[in-house]
C-alpha cells in the first residue's frame, strides 16, 4: 500500500484571519436553519485584491507600486490611513487585474522585506470605501495601540503606551514642584 505524500506547504488562496474573524457568526445567535451553506473560501476564489500589512509608516506608494508591479499590472493601490491625521498607518490594498497575478504576489512577495520590515500579504475579497482607515480607537492600527516596545519603523512606541508614559511624566513633574 502506498501513501500519498503529505503536502507541507500552505495553500495561497486561503482566507485571511481577518476575513474569517469578520464573517464568523456568534454561536448563540445561530441555529441550525441559519448555518451558512457557502464555502468560506468561495469569495476568494477569484479575488484580485491583496491586503498588505506590517508596512513601515514611512513606506511610500511609489515603493509599494514598484515592488508589487513585478508580479503583474496593478489596477489600484489604496494606502491605509490613520482615521484622524490622514497619515499612513502600516497597511495597504493592492488590486491586480487577474487572480493569477494576485496569487503570484502572495507566492513571491509575501514574507519579503520592504523598508527593513517583513511584510504580510493575504488575499482579500475586495476593497470597499472606508476600509482604508485604521480600526484602532486612536484612528490607527489596533496592534499599535497595545505595543510597548520601541519600533522606529512603525513610528515609535504604541500610541496607548506613549500616552500612558506622557501622563506619568506629567504627574511626576507636578509632584516635584
Amino acid at each position: 500500500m502506498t501513501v500519498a505524500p503529505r503536502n507541507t506547504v500552505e495553500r495561497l488562496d486561503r482566507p485571511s484571519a481577518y476575513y474569517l474573524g469578520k464573517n464568523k457568526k456568534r454561536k448563540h445567535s445561530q441555529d441550525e436553519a441559519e448555518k451558512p451553506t457557502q464555502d468560506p473560501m468561495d469569495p476568494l476564489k477569484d479575488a484580485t485584491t491583496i491586503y498588505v500589512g506590517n508596512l513601515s509608516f514611512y513606506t511610500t506608494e511609489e515603493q509599494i507600486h514598484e515592488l508589487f508591479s513585478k508580479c503583474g499590472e496593478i489596477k489600484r493601490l489604496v494606502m491605509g490611513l490613520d482615521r484622524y491625521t490622514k497619515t499612513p498607518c502600516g497597511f495597504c490594498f493592492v488590486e491586480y487585474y487577474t487572480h493569477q497575478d494576485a496569487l503570484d504576489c502572495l507566492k513571491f512577495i509575501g514574507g519579503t522585506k520592504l523598508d527593513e520590515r517583513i511584510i504580510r500579504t493575504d488575499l482579500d475579497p475586495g476593497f470597499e470605501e472606508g476600509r482604508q482607515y485604521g480600526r484602532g480607537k486612536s484612528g490607527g492600527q489596533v496592534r499599535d495601540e497595545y505595543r510597548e516596545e520601541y519600533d522606529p519603523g512603525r513610528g515609535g512606541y504604541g500610541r496607548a503606551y506613549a500616552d500612558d508614559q506622557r501622563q506619568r511624566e506629567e504627574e511626576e513633574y507636578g509632584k516635584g514642584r
Side-chain angles (χ1 to χ4, degrees):
M1 179 170 120
T2 61
V3 178
R6 199 178 99 196
N7 191 359
T8 58
V9 178
E10 288 187 37
R11 290 180 53 137
L12 295 175
D13 59 349
R14 71 190 186 286
S16 67
Y18 166 74
Y19 179 75
L20 288 175
K22 178 180 160 205
N23 291 320
K24 190 185 296 184
K25 292 192 177 188
R26 301 199 188 283
K27 277 187 176 179
H28 59 72
S29 68
Q30 185 181 40
D31 56 28
E32 295 301 315
E34 293 179 20
K35 284 200 176 174
T37 56
Q38 186 180 9
D39 181 12
M41 292 170 65
D42 201 31
L44 300 176
K45 183 178 68 165
D46 296 320
T48 58
T49 305
I50 300 290
Y51 168 84
V52 183
N54 200 34
L55 292 172
S56 168
F57 286 9
Y58 308 110
T59 302
T60 63
E61 284 187 43
E62 290 80 18
Q63 288 173 293
I64 294 167
H65 194 279
E66 184 178 338
L67 177 63
F68 283 83
S69 64
K70 295 179 191 288
C71 291
E73 190 175 352
I74 295 175
K75 183 177 185 180
R76 178 168 65 160
L77 180 100
V78 181
M79 289 294 289
L81 301 174
D82 183 297
R83 185 174 299 281
Y84 303 111
T85 63
K86 305 296 188 254
T87 57
C89 67
F91 70 97
C92 74
F93 296 94
V94 178
E95 188 176 347
Y96 288 99
Y97 283 99
T98 67
H99 178 64
Q100 188 58 49
D101 289 345
L103 290 178
D104 289 345
C105 172
L106 290 176
K107 190 186 308 179
F108 299 120
I109 296 179
T112 61
K113 276 190 172 185
L114 179 62
D115 275 350
E116 299 302 314
R117 301 190 60 79
I118 297 174
I119 56 174
R120 271 183 333 123
T121 56
D122 280 317
L123 274 180
D124 194 83
F127 174 76
E128 296 168 6
E129 192 59 39
R131 287 189 64 201
Q132 73 267 32
Y133 299 115
R135 299 181 321 223
K137 292 178 195 170
S138 61
Q141 291 283 348
V142 175
R143 290 180 179 178
D144 290 334
E145 293 180 352
Y146 299 106
R147 187 168 32 89
E148 294 182 7
E149 76 283 355
Y150 182 75
D151 188 351
R154 294 288 285 186
Y157 286 102
R159 285 203 181 132
Y161 183 77
D163 290 344
D164 212 23
Q165 289 294 99
R166 198 174 307 113
Q167 186 176 6
R168 283 189 204 142
E169 289 171 5
E170 288 173 2
E171 288 172 1
E172 287 180 23
Y173 179 76
K175 288 179 186 175
R177 284 188 153 186

